[in-house]
Amino acid sequence: MEKNVKLNNEQFILVLNSGSSSLKFAVYHYKSMHRQWFGVITGIGKPLGNMTISDSHQHEASRRMRHYRNIEDASTEIILWLKENKKNCQIYAIGYRIVQGGANHMVPEIVTEKLLADLNALIFLAPNHLPNELSLINTFLLKFPSLNHVACFDTNFHREMPDENKFYPLPVKYKKQGLRRYGFHGMSYEYIMQKLNEQYAFIDQKKIIIAHLGNGSSMAAISSGKGFDTTMGISPMGGLVMATRCGDLDPGAILFMLKQNDITAEELDVELSEESGMKAIAGTGDMQEILNMGDDDKRAVAAITLYCCQAKKFIAALAASMGGLDMLIFTGGIGQNSPEIRERICADMDFMALKIDRCLNLRTEKIVSCQSSRVCIRVMKTDEEFMIALHTKRILEGGEEKDSTFSTQSEVEIT
């Protein structure tokens, strides 16, 4: 633990969760883990962005509208807010969500010079995420060099998947280079499983699929209380079709795109991650906008049909992989807030004894399955920020699970 920062009873953990065009942040009381503040900056890179901050009672406490050119501008805005609220918000540690740390960095760990160097070398694995995440860390390290900084990896939840679900059928040299199925949205899955453990006895005996559906969508199969399989692979582009990401493609389709067009690998990455998915079909990747376009718009119908059809296929495939299904959880922006999408996904799934109750689903009850459904269908709110805060606290108190990969790593203060 950092020696020159003394912990008192009124200090907090700051959590930073960076997206492609947004930045979420939250402040948790170190001792009680009660969330004191939650904020989000949206529209980063657009002509006009928005920062909203809510208090512990979920009442809006502040709103600012400005032009945030990049993640550095958004970071500066948060730092300014922290300075203005220093009396009520003394930060002891900062936790960061990191989407990808490669094969050697999955378990949460203290930010060191070596870790930053390793992550910089891995940018090619997550070019749409890691640059912003590293910029965020560097900005806050520069401003708060004496604080404890902890990196929490989205891939941690999936690290114990069995080999048949973890590795690709490719020459062994690629496996040695770190080419494997990492899986993502791990903080979300971990939070849902923690809540289920609190609510159900023997949850580790259940076979569960969690559908994290949002701008980025994925599913995870959980068996014996651990991640067993997931839809995303080496990158967050794989699996389900998403807002602007293509999802799974035949490798031949990627070769076709490269051979038939004079584009670089970087240009192809942009096309697959920012110009594909539902945006390519409907003209927008925003699910609510697509639903509002109505049944008369063929593009909207095509996008929704594809999204729900793929979700059905992955639910069935993951259930087959585990050898059964006891519980299906919907979470994420779409999964939690769109009864129509949930109903469409669950329609005609009777063959799996999976039946949704339309009335319960419209009221967004916790359990939305019919009494005759053998599979329990639930809607749950996720909280990635809480899991980051919890991991940060555990690391600093020495209670976090350690991986031998990190046991000899020194903790170097970054200045």
Side-chain angles (χ1 to χ4, degrees), residues 269-292:
D269 186 287
V270 171
E271 195 157 275
L272 295 176
S273 60
E274 299 179 18
E275 301 297 331
S276 298
M278 291 189 293
K279 180 180 179 181
I281 300 171
T284 176
D286 188 296
M287 179 60 81
Q288 192 55 56
E289 288 183 18
I290 296 172
L291 288 168
N292 291 341

Side-chain angles (χ1 to χ4, degrees), residues 3 31 46 51 93 109 112 117 131 157 161 167 189 260 275 307 329 340 345 358 360 369 390:
K3 293 182 180 180
K31 292 292 186 181
K46 296 182 179 180
M51 180 173 83
E109 58 180 298
T112 65
F157 182 82
M161 290 193 304
F167 298 113
Y189 295 133
Q260 296 298 315
E275 301 297 331
Y307 186 85
I329 311 293
E340 182 174 347
I345 290 173
R358 189 172 190 184
L360 291 176
S369 46
L390 186 60

Side-chain angles (χ1 to χ4, degrees), residues 193-205:
M193 286 306 299
Q194 178 170 292
K195 287 299 176 183
L196 290 176
N197 268 298
E198 293 172 1
Q199 298 167 12
Y200 294 91
F202 309 111
I203 194 67
D204 59 335
Q205 297 178 15

Side-chain angles (χ1 to χ4, degrees), residues 13 15 28 33 108 152 190-191 194 384-397 400:
I13 297 172
V15 170
Y28 291 85
M33 292 302 293
C152 301
E190 190 172 1
Y191 178 82
Q194 178 170 292
E384 295 174 324
E385 289 74 37
F386 176 81
M387 288 312 306
I388 297 168
L390 186 60
H391 280 302
T392 299
K393 181 177 181 178
R394 287 173 176 171
I395 278 284
L396 299 180
E397 294 181 347
E400 186 69 55

Side-chain angles (χ1 to χ4, degrees), residues 3 55 61 159 183 237 251 260 317:
K3 293 182 180 180
D55 62 19
R159 66 191 174 96
M237 285 192 290
Q260 296 298 315

Side-chain angles (χ1 to χ4, degrees), residues 35-46:
R35 191 172 76 185
Q36 193 77 10
W37 304 96
F38 175 81
V40 59
I41 298 178
T42 58
I44 299 173
K46 296 182 179 180

Side-chain angles (χ1 to χ4, degrees), residues 35 51 72 98 108 138 144 151 154 157 195 200 205 211 219 222 231-232 243 253-254 275 277 311 324 327 363 385 415:
R35 191 172 76 185
M51 180 173 83
E72 289 85 0
I98 306 298
N138 286 322
F144 304 104
D154 240 1
F157 182 82
K195 287 299 176 183
Y200 294 91
Q205 297 178 15
M219 295 184 186
I222 294 96
T231 56
M232 287 179 170
I254 298 174
E275 301 297 331
M327 187 176 291
R363 295 200 297 267
E385 289 74 37
T415 58

